Amino acid sequence: MNQQVPTLQLNNGSLMPQLGFGVWQVPDADAEHAVGTALEAGYRSIDTAAVYGNEKGTGKAVAASGLPREELFVTTKLWNSRKQRWGRDEVLRAFDDSLGKLGLDHVDLYLIHWPRPMRDDFVSIWKTFEEIAASGRAKAVGVSNFRPEDLERLAAESALVPAVNQVELHPLFPQAELRAVHAARGIVTEAWSPLGQGKELLTLPAVTALADKYGRSAAQVVLRWHLQHGNIVIPKSVTPARIRENLDVFGFELEAADVAALDALGAGAAGRRIGPDPAEFDV
């Protein structure tokens, strides 16, 4: 693992870099170059998903990097869409397909992409994830976009605790209740869209003032906020300079009052969600 990037220990004993590289919305044709640039810059954790359509490009970059497999942490996700019933065979077939596209014999983390509670099948899917974890072909398994009630349902019906829950999380949507549930259950919090997709968040006076104070970019300030809260972050960029900048967040630390100021941005009305609501999302 990159010695510069701290790791968090997952509940299965695996070490996961606290800052990784996300490839959501990166076309497969561009993924090899973007991931290759990230690996050259020092990233060792790569986050992809079946639905992103870029597992092949991601796998090519991993192969071309020449880095030892044990130095890399690769995550992908099951796209449990409503196009079919997700029984054991379908889940295993999807997992095999992802491994084939990545060109790997195992991934470090495999996630259920959405709970889709209206279809009441994530527990049965999780039972197959237990099998995948036991096989060692996924070193750890977890979930994405799960709500507290979804995690409670899993806990009631399975002894295997998700290693990670990857959710929308940023200062405008800090997910304090969910993070507390994670802490109580031994689940690591991973943030997607950690920069709020760069829309409103990075131009807010509270953020730009801290960027000026620390002599850093607004994005670096927000990433520090995540790291100091113990979140894992996976910022995405296809711009080499931005890819390197997002990794350069370990040479400074926000003062407690500044962390609190960013915390306050998401106060009221439970914060502002940018992405879909997991309670309603079903594609």
Side-chain angles (χ1 to χ4, degrees):
M1 297 293 181
N2 185 332
Q3 297 304 307
Q4 180 189 15
V5 179
T7 57
L8 296 182
Q9 187 171 44
L10 306 183
N11 59 26
N12 72 328
S14 293
L15 296 177
M16 183 173 183
Q18 200 179 356
L19 193 150
F21 185 69
V23 294
W24 177 58
Q25 291 187 327
V26 178
D28 196 47
D30 300 332
E32 182 176 2
H33 178 70
V35 173
T37 299
L39 293 173
E40 285 177 19
Y43 291 82
R44 292 297 178 264
S45 178
I46 306 297
D47 179 272
T48 184
V51 75
Y52 299 169
N54 54 25
E55 288 173 315
K56 285 186 178 179
T58 297
K60 287 178 183 177
V62 168
S65 73
L67 292 165
R69 179 66 183 89
E70 62 271 17
E71 289 188 15
L72 299 172
F73 194 101
V74 179
T75 300
T76 193
K77 311 175 193 77
L78 171 75
W79 184 243
N80 52 318
S81 72
R82 62 183 174 187
K83 291 181 180 178
Q84 65 181 52
R85 171 187 167 276
W86 285 96
R88 174 181 178 273
D89 290 348
E90 289 78 13
V91 173
L92 291 175
R93 193 174 300 121
F95 180 63
D96 287 342
D97 188 52
S98 284
L99 283 184
K101 288 178 179 176
L102 287 164
L104 300 175
D105 63 3
H106 74 277
V107 292
D108 299 279
L109 180 63
Y110 193 47
L111 306 178
I112 300 177
H113 210 141
W114 289 89
R116 296 191 166 105
M118 69 290 295
R119 289 192 286 110
D120 194 30
D121 65 356
F122 66 73
V123 172
S124 63
I125 291 171
W126 186 247
K127 295 294 185 182
T128 307
F129 270 52
E130 292 179 353
E131 190 177 332
I132 291 170
S135 76
R137 295 197 302 149
K139 299 296 185 184
V141 292
V143 295
S144 184
N145 302 299
F146 274 47
R147 306 165 299 161
E149 54 264 49
D150 303 324
L151 296 173
E152 188 173 323
R153 174 89 186 277
L154 281 186
E157 302 193 41
S158 171
L160 182 63
V161 178
V164 168
N165 188 14
Q166 183 185 120
V167 296
E168 178 183 348
L169 201 163
H170 43 78
L172 292 176
F173 192 58
Q175 298 261 43
E177 177 195 358
L178 184 59
R179 283 189 285 127
V181 170
H182 292 168
R185 295 192 179 278
I187 300 169
V188 166
T189 301
E190 183 174 15
W192 61 256
S193 287
L195 303 176
Q197 296 180 18
K199 295 176 180 176
E200 174 189 2
L201 176 61
L202 299 185
T203 61
L204 292 177
V207 176
T208 58
L210 292 180
D212 290 341
K213 173 180 176 178
Y214 290 96
R216 296 283 184 155
S217 71
Q220 288 174 318
V221 165
V222 172
L223 292 174
R224 271 308 314 176
W225 174 86
H226 280 284
L227 296 172
Q228 288 177 223
H229 271 301
N231 303 333
I232 285 177
V233 287
I234 45 170
K236 182 216 84 175
S237 178
V238 294
T239 308
R242 192 73 50 78
I243 288 171
R244 290 189 289 270
E245 178 187 282
N246 288 341
L247 189 65
D248 184 22
V249 289
F250 301 102
F252 75 109
E253 188 166 321
L254 301 178
E255 295 174 7
D258 295 331
V259 172
L262 293 178
D263 290 344
L265 294 176
R272 282 170 280 176
R273 188 189 294 278
I274 294 171
D277 184 342
E280 303 168 355
F281 184 70
D282 185 25
V283 170

